Amino acid sequence: MAQTQLDPAHIMQVGMGFWPSKTLLSAVELELFTELGDDSMTAEAIRDALGLHPRGILDFLDALVALGFLERDGEGSEGRYCNTAETAAFLDKRSPTYIGGILEMSNARLYGFWGDLTEALKSGKPQNEVKHTGKQMFEELYGDPARLEQFMQGMTGLSLGNFEALAETFDFSRYKTVCDIGGATGQLCAVLAGHHPHLRLTTFDLPVVAPIAERAVAAAGLDDRISIASGDFFADPLPQADVITMGMILHDWNLERKQRLVRAAYEALPDGGAYIVIENLIDDARRENSFGLMMSLNMLIEFGDAFDFTGADFAGWCREAGFRNVEVLPLTGPASAAVAYK
């Protein structure tokens, strides 16, 4: 029987994965995709526009072609580069579906912090700004309103697809009111308002976030549909509503705080109400959703004791709080909505 030929290609692809990652992140940092926009440019024109050195420009641009992030018409110095359909939609800052904000943050913060993953695995402690300032990420972020607004605007593109999928997948016709906890700019409420005209919506976050949400809601022309509420979801009761939502909130906390938030949602809901969390839920067997598992490692790096979780984990916490049943709805990519019914 012939022995199967082993191939180290996958090992090398993952082991050297920081090469393509940093190539893309630097392109986002340089605003290459925004500079290109709807046009095509030669390497020399791109080099001049971005202030780059001659040595790396062709390797950089052609690597992005090979990775599928740029298209090129022609060869050598005569070649002209342009965005792909995906980079035009998601990485041009003028596009309403821009998701580069999360990549900008990853480049500026996470790329360096992940270099300390080994230390995080040994110590169980965060490896972010807290090592240098003693302040947790949220304390740093929420202490600077301008930086906070930039961060929240950057996250909006990342969440849009999942919010649209939730609005189309979950049956909101049975409910009249929704409160989004940790609602930031009010984006989830705005998406739901667009899909379901009968809903009355509230976005709830810390007081420092209220002016940011008010500006975003006003810009969307939804002042009459979306209310802004302020408070601390660990110190204050949650606003009552038929549906309580939390988008990428629960994974930021340790087990005890997760359970407190689940209980708080249960207490704010009427009988028949629904509690919806949007997360990169890890598959119950913990074998498939590599993004969800690595997001959990990212929570280790950011917070130490925070972690991502499976649908079964969430169902267990919800049953303990009194919810009667839980279902999981796939959204986009690695993300899902877990829904608990009271």
Side-chain angles (χ1 to χ4, degrees):
M1 194 174 197
Q3 185 176 1
T4 303
Q5 185 68 37
L6 297 176
D7 185 351
H10 179 63
I11 293 173
M12 291 302 297
Q13 184 180 25
V14 174
M16 306 304 289
F18 62 94
W19 285 8
S21 172
K22 193 64 179 76
T23 301
L24 176 61
L25 293 178
S26 288
V28 172
E29 179 184 6
L30 292 165
E31 300 188 5
L32 167 62
F33 307 106
T34 304
E35 182 67 34
L36 284 169
D38 296 330
D39 298 328
S40 65
M41 298 171 65
T42 64
E44 184 176 5
I46 293 170
R47 188 191 77 202
D48 291 343
L50 302 185
L52 304 180
H53 190 276
R55 162 59 188 90
I57 187 65
L58 283 176
D59 289 344
F60 178 52
L61 295 175
D62 290 337
L64 289 166
V65 170
L67 290 166
F69 299 122
L70 290 180
E71 294 175 354
R72 187 189 70 218
D73 182 23
E75 307 298 328
S77 61
E78 300 302 312
R80 298 186 69 86
Y81 298 85
C82 65
N83 281 319
T84 66
E86 288 78 15
T87 55
F90 299 119
L91 294 179
D92 180 345
K93 284 191 168 183
R94 290 165 296 213
S95 169
T97 51
Y98 180 70
I99 66 165
I102 187 66
L103 299 182
E104 293 172 36
M105 189 271 283
S106 296
N107 187 58
R109 297 182 63 252
L110 299 182
Y111 188 83
F113 297 154
W114 267 73
D116 292 332
L117 176 61
T118 305
E119 184 178 341
L121 292 168
K122 289 183 174 181
S123 69
K125 294 181 178 178
Q127 303 300 312
N128 59 6
E129 292 92 347
V130 72
K131 290 175 66 174
H132 310 290
T133 67
K135 294 182 179 179
Q136 287 283 4
M137 172 193 167
F138 286 140
E139 189 177 355
E140 288 272 359
L141 196 59
Y142 282 72
D144 181 349
R147 185 179 170 207
L148 176 63
E149 184 163 11
Q150 182 184 38
F151 172 79
M152 288 185 168
Q153 293 294 350
M155 295 294 286
T156 57
L158 182 68
S159 301
L160 181 60
N162 287 325
F163 292 168
E164 292 280 355
L166 177 68
E168 294 167 3
T169 303
F170 183 75
D171 182 8
F172 283 94
S173 65
R174 297 173 290 168
Y175 306 99
K176 295 179 180 179
T177 57
V178 177
C179 181
D180 186 31
I181 305 302
T185 63
Q187 184 187 30
L188 176 54
C189 288
V191 169
L192 294 179
H195 283 264
H196 303 286
H198 72 285
L199 288 177
R200 289 184 294 111
L201 303 123
T202 301
T203 182
F204 176 89
D205 214 315
L206 292 168
V208 69
V209 180
I212 300 172
E214 286 166 0
R215 284 193 291 273
V217 169
L222 292 169
D223 315 58
D224 58 333
R225 300 277 313 282
I226 301 173
S227 301
I228 314 296
S230 296
D232 179 338
F233 52 50
F234 287 121
D236 303 312
L238 303 184
Q240 294 186 345
D242 298 335
V243 179
I244 298 287
T245 57
M246 294 183 187
M248 299 294 285
I249 297 296
L250 211 55
H251 78 149
D252 287 335
W253 308 101
N254 63 21
L255 178 59
E256 186 269 332
R257 290 200 156 196
K258 282 177 168 62
Q259 291 172 322
R260 280 172 61 183
L261 287 174
V262 171
R263 286 195 299 270
Y266 182 84
E267 290 164 5
L269 289 167
D271 287 342
Y275 171 41
I276 304 174
V277 302
I278 300 169
E279 299 277 0
N280 296 292
L281 287 179
I282 300 167
D283 56 291
D284 288 348
R286 296 175 60 87
R287 290 178 180 272
E288 296 172 12
N289 191 349
S290 59
F291 187 86
L293 290 160
M294 287 187 288
M295 180 63 83
S296 197
L297 288 175
N298 193 61
M299 292 300 99
L300 163 63
I301 284 171
E302 291 281 33
F303 303 112
D305 56 0
F307 60 95
D308 283 69
F309 49 91
T310 68
D313 293 331
F314 179 74
W317 305 329
C318 288
R319 281 194 295 270
E320 288 176 14
F323 286 98
R324 53 189 174 83
N325 64 298
V326 175
E327 64 175 338
V328 173
L329 307 174
L331 298 177
T332 64
S336 303
V339 186
Y341 297 94
K342 182 170 177 178

